[in-house]
Amino acid sequence: MPREKFQTLTEPMFYILLCLKEECCGMDIMSKVDTIADGRISIGPGTLYNLLDQFLSSEMIQETKVEGRRRSYLLTEKGKQMLEMEYLRMEQVMLDYRNVMNGTVAAKEQPWNTGECYALG
Amino acid sequence: MRKTKYRLENFAFWDYKGIEKHLTQMAEKGWQLSQIISNVWIYKKAEPESITYSVTYIPKVSAYDPEKTEAATQMDEYCESVGWKKVTSYAQMQIYRTDAPNIRPLETDELVRLQVIGHTMKKTALIPNLLYLLLYILIGSGYYKMYQTNPIDLLSQNTLFYSLLFIIIGLFSFVYSIVYLTVWLRQSRKSIDTGGQCLPVRYYRLPMHICTMLLIILLVAMLFSSEETFRIISSIRLICRLAFFCGITLLLEIMRRKGTDKATTISVFLFITVIYAIIETFTFQSALETQQAKESQPEHTYYEKGVYWNIYNDYLPIRAEDLTTTEHQLYSTQYKEQESFLLSYIKCNQSPVPYGTDAPYLWYEILDVKIDFIYNKCVEHCLNQDIYLANWINDNIPGTKYNITNKYHKLSQSDWKDDDTTELYANADAIYRRYHEEEPVCEWLICKDNYIFHIQSNWQLSGTQMNDFILRSISYEEETSHKNSALSNDNTFLQAFPDTEPDSLSYILSDGTQVNCFGHPENYRLSFCLKDGTKLLVLWDKVFFYKQMLNPANTLSTEDPSKIESTSNLEDSRKSKSTFWELNTAQNLTPQAEETIYSYLESLPINYDLMEALENAYSDYLTQKDKTFSKQFEAYYLERFITLHLDAKNYLVIEHSLYIPNDITSNESFESPSEYLYFDKETGRKMDISEFFLLSEEELSTFFATIWTASETTSENKSTIKNAFSSDYISLHITNEELYIDLLFPAGTLESYAVMQSYPAETLKDILQPWVFSK
């Protein structure tokens, strides 16, 4: 499983991890994401399953309990860090945006021109 | 109306878009997917409906996992919670459907989808395909090695050639699918990076379709171009293999449904496959071998000096008689032919029977190379066969050092002495001769146009003969209709008498069947044939032959009537009777003695029952009549030898014996003990064996009884032997240049069966006449 995709989190990843701040059943994640993102982001069941599988194998989340077919997951320390890093990155993005828009910093140093923001995978 | 439809689908495993679209279209036509077993997709009849299908993959699951794995169940739960219903799954592929128009899509992240597909394909496609690739490379390199060491055999057989094509097509489809997948993964990634989706799989199904069609065409072509027996065996093999694949696939499917765990499934799969492979290889290999052995059965067997020789009677395009003059009649001829699109190969062998005679012997191979670029390879192979053989022996038999003593030298026109080879050199492109330790042997290799001729003989072929050979073989090659079956290859002997009138010497069998007798003056051979030309019995008996010739009531048909029609010729042949009886080598034989001996030999009674032999042969013929070789039926061969055994100073010993192999197919034979006849060289008087001894008959009986009982090899008592003794039981003969005295009591004379003692004459010197030993 390629690791590079976790350097930055895609939106679906971000929201799934966000949902798992509290223990949550896999099946409920889809509706929970809908609520949190207010319908702006939707996660398909196939994508959800495969992402959860990837998170589990890279120990970003852990399985907390199995009730019949319902499996619940919770964010690990590592997962929290990843989420935190992503949050800081986005905060930096916003800060940079404001600085440029207010004319505090020259436009050539805009971070989205470095390509880092687009490294999606 | 059918309720179920089975279709062979050749979608790329990762082509989710193609599969989704195809399934939706099928549902619109009223066929809804219910199950997938490998390439067979099963649809159930339903009302035409607009259904959205979605395909996803779980990399963890394999084809050997049970249907309901933890992973699959989890995925199903998630999907069902948002309205996707499970249709079926096959290995990693999971198929869901929905009829709701606006539903959350199964996959919402193209990148995740692509990564999952990449991971899945690495597991399913790459590893097994790499194994196949390895296998194909191994087989391919085997063929390449064969091309290097035995190109003629490889190229002249269509089956081998077809196998090669199979491998090429198989290899192509594997390489193609792997390369295509790699390119698709890379390009889809690019597309996603710029905000697009996974790309459609456009160029996969058509090439795979073509490959499949080609394989099927090849298979059919291979079956139909091969020989009949091979075709039947191969077809059965093919059906068995197909049945096996279907069976194992079904079994895997059942185990999957029943939820058997992966380890068990894989073990069962491997076990059954290995067992099947072993059974198939063993069974069909032995079936083919049995068939081949059956086909190469000799037509009959020839017995000479205690050894059986196989005699084949195949049609040959060129015979030694075509090139040189010979009076030898009986040959064993073998013909082998192999033909493919690239090369036609003929191998012929004509050896005289009995073996070891000086009659011309001819062995040749004719190669017709149909494609130029392999011609040089074939020539090179023919020229270097000795080297290949040496290398093979040195490589495969440890501890041997085989030296190459044979080598081909290219001949130029000046190498031929006293022979006009202008025409030959005008005809041939190159001529090579084989040398054994720098001494030329009678083996040549001639290249002409697209032909290669490889000739071996026991006489020095002249340039004209070689040219004749080339012209004849080319004209034969061109008349392909010549390539006839064994049936039309009637025995040459029969061909000599096409229309035989029944007024020739004839015999009537007990059921009224007429058997005609034909003679051949060159070798005193008589054939007894039915009216349709079927030969029942061959008789080689000079006495019988001679009597028939002398009897004016018998008109004997012969190959060349002029040889026997005129009485002067008959007289001539009588004059050269010493050749006839092979007495011409005898020294100091007076003319009077010669005449007397001839008369005696001519008057020898026939010591076998000809009618009985004919009846036996005929009843055997009747029981074998349905078989295809009935025309060549020649189960019986009867021979009487009368040969000069010993030429001493005063006397001759002539051996008279009978040989009857009464059933050649079972190799049972009967050879009577030899009878020795003694003649005085001066008068030609037939001598009695007792004349050779100094003792009287009475004294002889005492003498032999004494030494017989003294030799401890028998429990007979002395007086029994003495009473049973007769000087007729004594014979004198020569073995390895030494004289021996044999004493044979025929069956019934002693209480036991026939018994014999043999004594070197030297040890009996005291009782033998002194002249017995003089040469």
Side-chain angles (χ1 to χ4, degrees):
Chain A
M1 193 75 45
R3 289 272 152 180
E4 55 165 329
K5 64 173 160 296
F6 297 131
Q7 283 172 4
T8 56
L9 299 176
T10 61
E11 279 193 336
M13 292 178 185
F14 186 81
Y15 280 95
I16 292 171
L17 289 178
L18 203 56
C19 291
L20 292 174
K21 187 192 163 271
E22 278 150 24
E23 187 181 313
C24 178
C25 168
M27 217 147 25
D28 298 338
I29 293 174
M30 282 184 279
S31 52
K32 209 168 169 186
V33 169
D34 287 349
T35 321
I36 296 172
D38 198 15
R40 200 177 53 79
I41 289 278
S42 163
I43 291 172
T47 307
L48 174 71
Y49 170 81
N50 280 309
L51 281 178
L52 283 178
D53 198 45
Q54 287 172 23
F55 290 149
L56 268 176
S57 61
S58 55
E59 291 169 353
M60 284 160 74
I61 57 169
Q62 64 192 40
E63 208 174 79
T64 46
K65 64 177 177 203
V66 183
E67 286 170 345
R69 285 178 178 184
R70 295 173 70 90
R71 284 158 189 269
S72 299
Y73 305 95
L74 182 69
L75 211 55
T76 59
E77 261 324 294
K78 194 181 169 190
K80 274 180 192 158
Q81 273 174 26
M82 291 293 294
L83 208 55
E84 183 76 15
M85 273 166 67
E86 185 64 21
Y87 168 73
L88 291 174
R89 192 185 64 82
M90 284 193 289
E91 203 177 47
Q92 184 62 47
V93 170
M94 285 187 293
L95 192 69
D96 291 346
Y97 175 81
R98 277 187 208 125
N99 286 343
V100 172
M101 282 306 183
N102 300 340
T104 328
V105 175
K108 59 174 178 163
E109 282 176 10
Q110 286 166 8
W112 53 84
N113 271 359
T114 64
E116 210 183 298
C117 284
Y118 291 95
L120 291 174
Chain B
M1 193 62 199
R2 282 191 306 163
K3 287 262 168 15
T4 314
K5 192 175 201 161
Y6 298 86
R7 277 175 63 110
L8 275 171
E9 308 284 12
N10 67 340
F11 284 99
F13 191 73
W14 75 93
D15 181 13
Y16 69 95
K17 257 183 203 164
I19 295 171
E20 286 167 3
K21 204 176 139 196
H22 168 77
L23 292 177
T24 305
Q25 281 170 357
M26 287 299 285
E28 277 165 5
K29 287 184 212 156
W31 290 105
Q32 297 183 357
L33 181 74
S34 81
Q35 210 182 334
I36 296 176
I37 303 170
S38 184
N39 285 331
V40 182
W41 293 28
I42 303 166
Y43 300 88
K44 289 266 187 271
K45 184 78 196 159
E47 282 302 307
E49 212 179 332
S50 179
I51 299 176
T52 312
Y53 284 89
S54 198
V55 177
T56 188
Y57 303 87
I58 307 175
K60 270 186 190 166
V61 180
S62 83
Y64 305 105
D65 272 315
E67 194 181 19
K68 299 248 179 277
T69 50
E70 197 69 44
T73 321
Q74 193 77 47
M75 174 77 99
D76 293 352
E77 287 285 308
Y78 293 166
C79 291
E80 270 157 29
S81 73
V82 293
W84 288 101
K85 271 177 237 142
K86 179 73 168 265
V87 179
T88 186
S89 64
Y90 179 68
Q92 290 95 330
M93 190 201 287
Q94 314 287 322
I95 301 179
Y96 298 91
R97 54 167 276 186
T98 182
D99 26 26
N102 290 314
I103 196 168
R104 185 195 298 261
L106 212 64
E107 297 284 348
T108 47
D109 191 319
E110 284 294 305
L111 188 61
V112 173
R113 187 205 285 275
L114 188 70
Q115 281 164 346
V116 164
I117 289 177
H119 191 210
T120 301
M121 290 317 289
K122 240 172 249 163
K123 239 180 104 184
T124 45
L126 219 56
I127 293 162
N129 276 11
L130 280 177
L131 283 177
Y132 271 118
L133 196 71
L134 197 72
L135 185 73
Y136 276 122
I137 289 171
L138 270 177
I139 299 173
S141 66
Y143 277 115
Y144 181 73
K145 201 177 171 199
M146 195 169 171
Y147 179 70
Q148 290 300 326
T149 55
N150 198 359
I152 292 165
D153 214 27
L154 176 74
L155 298 172
S156 62
Q157 287 186 43
N158 275 338
T159 43
L160 289 176
F161 178 71
Y162 281 128
S163 318
L164 204 63
L165 278 181
F166 265 120
I167 287 171
I168 291 170
I169 296 176
L171 206 60
F172 170 78
S173 65
F174 283 126
V175 171
Y176 183 83
S177 51
I178 290 171
V179 170
Y180 193 96
L181 175 67
T182 318
V183 171
W184 182 85
L185 284 173
R186 190 168 298 169
Q187 304 241 326
S188 296
R189 177 61 195 262
K190 260 186 207 160
S191 158
I192 292 166
D193 282 357
T194 53
Q197 290 186 330
C198 293
L199 296 172
V201 182
R202 285 210 185 90
Y203 309 109
Y204 182 84
R205 294 183 70 195
L206 187 67
M208 289 299 136
H209 229 87
I210 293 170
C211 282
T212 315
M213 292 311 277
L214 276 178
L215 283 178
I216 292 170
I217 292 168
L218 253 183
L219 206 66
V220 172
M222 186 171 113
L223 285 181
F224 278 89
S225 70
S226 49
E227 286 165 36
E228 201 187 333
T229 45
F230 182 79
R231 177 156 68 231
I232 294 166
I233 292 174
S234 302
S235 305
I236 296 171
R237 184 183 193 147
L238 200 71
I239 291 166
C240 287
R241 204 177 282 181
L242 267 176
F244 167 75
F245 277 119
C246 294
I248 194 94
T249 315
L250 273 176
L251 183 73
L252 285 183
E253 182 61 24
I254 291 166
M255 289 173 80
R256 202 172 87 89
R257 293 263 188 95
K258 286 205 164 173
T260 318
D261 69 292
K262 192 173 173 177
T264 317
T265 313
I266 292 180
S267 327
V268 168
F269 174 73
L270 284 179
F271 179 74
I272 295 179
T273 309
V274 168
I275 293 286
Y276 176 78
I278 292 169
I279 291 175
E280 196 207 76
T281 314
F282 181 76
T283 317
F284 287 98
Q285 207 54 42
S286 61
L288 272 180
E289 273 163 17
T290 325
Q291 196 55 42
Q292 277 163 1
K294 213 190 259 174
E295 277 164 14
S296 61
Q297 276 285 317
E299 195 165 306
H300 40 250
T301 322
Y302 165 83
Y303 179 88
E304 187 183 87
K305 302 197 171 79
V307 182
Y308 286 96
W309 302 88
N310 292 339
I311 300 184
Y312 301 88
N313 189 23
D314 297 341
Y315 177 83
L316 296 187
I318 304 160
R319 298 177 63 94
E321 296 93 313
D322 297 335
L323 304 176
T324 182
T325 46
T326 172
E327 289 173 343
H328 195 83
Q329 286 296 319
L330 192 61
Y331 275 102
S332 169
T333 52
Q334 275 172 283
Y335 179 89
K336 188 187 165 197
E337 164 185 75
Q338 271 174 220
E339 190 170 5
S340 76
F341 311 124
L342 301 172
L343 186 70
S344 102
Y345 171 81
I346 294 173
K347 182 164 137 189
C348 298
N349 183 8
Q350 180 187 10
S351 12
V353 179
Y355 291 84
T357 57
D358 292 337
Y361 152 84
L362 193 65
W363 177 98
Y364 55 89
E365 293 172 313
I366 304 173
L367 276 84
D368 180 359
V369 185
K370 294 168 189 171
I371 289 179
D372 275 349
F373 80 92
I374 55 171
Y375 188 84
N376 286 339
K377 179 81 202 172
C378 294
V379 175
E380 185 201 324
H381 177 77
C382 291
L383 291 176
N384 291 334
Q385 253 163 354
D386 293 315
I387 298 171
Y388 294 132
L389 177 72
N391 288 345
W392 189 88
I393 291 175
N394 291 337
D395 291 349
N396 289 285
I397 304 168
T400 49
K401 184 81 194 84
Y402 185 85
N403 291 321
I404 303 154
T405 48
N406 297 315
K407 208 179 159 193
Y408 278 95
H409 290 289
K410 193 168 182 174
L411 297 185
S412 68
Q413 202 163 344
S414 58
D415 291 327
W416 302 75
K417 289 175 188 120
D418 317 318
D419 199 2
D420 178 27
T421 53
T422 324
E423 220 184 324
L424 174 66
Y425 274 86
N427 247 326
D429 300 330
I431 301 170
Y432 302 87
R433 184 167 191 175
R434 198 171 183 215
Y435 281 70
H436 175 71
E437 286 172 348
E438 303 307 314
E439 279 296 309
V441 294
C442 292
E443 196 173 339
W444 295 269
L445 198 77
I446 307 170
C447 303
K448 177 186 163 50
D449 303 336
N450 52 330
Y451 294 101
I452 302 168
F453 305 100
H454 183 194
I455 313 169
Q456 203 184 320
S457 63
N458 59 350
W459 83 97
Q460 168 84 44
L461 257 77
S462 71
T464 326
Q465 287 172 342
M466 222 172 265
N467 196 43
D468 195 19
F469 183 92
I470 298 175
L471 295 177
R472 278 171 187 273
S473 34
I474 292 173
S475 66
Y476 169 76
E477 273 283 301
E478 281 161 5
E479 291 172 45
T480 39
S481 60
H482 249 298
K483 295 171 183 172
N484 45 11
S485 66
L487 260 186
S488 55
N489 308 337
D490 261 347
N491 194 302
T492 42
F493 189 78
L494 271 182
Q495 282 167 357
F497 313 102
D499 304 301
T500 315
E501 292 302 318
D503 64 350
S504 59
L505 200 59
S506 65
Y507 295 82
I508 307 292
L509 297 180
S510 54
D511 70 344
T513 312
Q514 182 176 318
V515 179
N516 298 323
C517 170
F518 309 106
H520 198 286
E522 296 297 338
N523 55 14
Y524 323 109
R525 192 183 291 266
L526 289 122
S527 291
F528 294 83
C529 305
L530 293 176
K531 272 184 184 171
D532 66 358
T534 305
K535 205 191 290 182
L536 288 183
L537 174 76
V538 172
L539 175 68
W540 193 358
D541 181 352
K542 288 179 182 176
V543 177
F544 189 88
F545 188 86
Y546 209 77
K547 280 178 185 161
Q548 300 305 337
M549 277 219 305
L550 291 176
N551 186 348
N554 297 328
T555 346
L556 239 76
S557 302
T558 62
E559 184 178 26
D560 182 0
S562 66
K563 280 189 181 163
I564 202 159
E565 252 177 17
S566 71
T567 41
S568 67
N569 271 0
L570 187 61
E571 283 307 305
D572 283 349
S573 79
R574 286 206 64 189
K575 271 178 197 162
S576 58
K577 269 185 293 187
S578 69
T579 327
F580 188 96
W581 294 113
E582 290 161 8
L583 294 185
N584 50 340
T585 51
Q587 304 288 314
N588 308 322
L589 196 62
T590 63
Q592 182 217 344
E594 219 176 296
E595 194 57 42
T596 321
I597 296 172
Y598 297 151
S599 320
Y600 182 82
L601 294 178
E602 282 164 28
S603 70
L604 270 175
I606 294 167
N607 56 351
Y608 49 89
D609 188 339
L610 179 66
M611 285 314 285
E612 188 190 322
L614 280 177
E615 296 277 4
N616 285 341
Y618 184 61
S619 71
D620 275 10
Y621 162 71
L622 288 181
T623 53
Q624 293 191 358
K625 200 169 185 179
D626 291 336
K627 305 219 174 118
T628 46
F629 56 84
S630 62
K631 268 252 170 198
Q632 264 86 42
F633 180 86
E634 201 184 319
Y636 283 76
Y637 185 84
L638 207 151
E639 187 171 336
R640 180 146 74 139
F641 301 100
I642 295 165
T643 48
L644 178 61
H645 182 73
L646 171 60
D647 180 22
K649 196 181 175 205
N650 301 347
Y651 63 97
L652 291 178
V653 181
I654 286 173
E655 187 181 355
H656 178 206
S657 63
L658 183 68
Y659 157 62
I660 311 171
N662 41 14
D663 184 4
I664 276 159
T665 49
S666 67
N667 278 355
E668 280 170 21
S669 73
F670 162 73
E671 190 170 13
S672 74
S674 295
E675 177 190 4
Y676 293 95
L677 307 167
Y678 313 92
F679 295 96
D680 187 315
K681 263 181 154 178
E682 209 177 309
T683 60
R685 183 180 59 85
K686 188 176 177 296
M687 296 164 77
D688 194 85
I689 187 71
S690 55
E691 294 175 45
F692 286 68
F693 291 91
L694 296 162
L695 307 176
S696 70
E697 172 113 15
E698 176 63 28
E699 287 167 325
L700 272 180
S701 68
T702 319
F703 177 81
F704 279 110
T706 314
I707 59 169
W708 184 284
T709 47
S711 63
E712 285 182 38
T713 51
T714 169
S715 57
E716 302 289 344
N717 82 42
K718 199 171 167 180
S719 63
T720 324
I721 289 162
K722 194 165 180 274
N723 292 335
F725 180 82
S726 153
S727 60
D728 292 342
Y729 302 160
I730 304 175
S731 64
L732 173 81
H733 72 107
I734 187 160
T735 308
N736 298 331
E737 313 247 321
E738 268 209 58
L739 274 180
Y740 280 90
I741 304 285
D742 281 352
L743 182 56
L744 170 83
F745 286 93
T749 49
L750 292 180
E751 274 174 10
S752 56
Y753 44 85
V755 273
M756 193 177 95
Q757 290 276 6
S758 195
Y759 310 97
E762 276 295 316
T763 61
L764 306 179
K765 213 169 177 174
D766 295 342
I767 60 158
L768 280 163
Q769 299 280 6
W771 48 259
V772 170
F773 298 96
S774 60
K775 288 223 168 163

